[in-house]
Amino acid sequence: NMPSTELSAEDFTDGAINIMDLLVKAGLCPSKGEARRLVQQGGVSVDGEKVTDVRALITKDKLAEGVLVKRGKKSFNKFLLK
């Protein structure tokens, strides 16, 4: 019963997608600027690992299995490849 977002081929650049683009696409952040601040302050985790690099990329291979992106304590979204 978890919110999820499906990504298509158009969302990727060179087989990967930026963490900030993921946050905006899922509606976890209203803008890339806020997503950047959130990542820099350590408020984002991907599959339980904290992300602090705003240039972090998530590859298509990792998304094929499904990736859980968490913002803060209570906001989260599962990303799947279409």
Side-chain angles (χ1 to χ4, degrees), residues 25-75:
K25 182 130 178 100
L28 293 174
C29 287
S31 67
K32 282 190 177 184
E34 186 169 328
R36 179 186 309 272
R37 282 190 295 279
L38 194 65
V39 170
Q40 288 172 338
Q41 293 171 358
V44 176
S45 64
V46 176
D47 286 339
E49 294 183 28
K50 194 173 282 194
V51 177
T52 56
D53 182 14
V54 294
R55 290 173 274 146
L57 297 173
I58 309 297
T59 62
K60 276 188 181 181
D61 297 336
K62 193 168 184 179
L63 282 166
E65 305 160 4
V67 173
L68 178 65
V69 176
K70 191 171 177 185
R71 173 190 182 229
K73 290 184 179 180
K74 297 180 181 176
S75 299

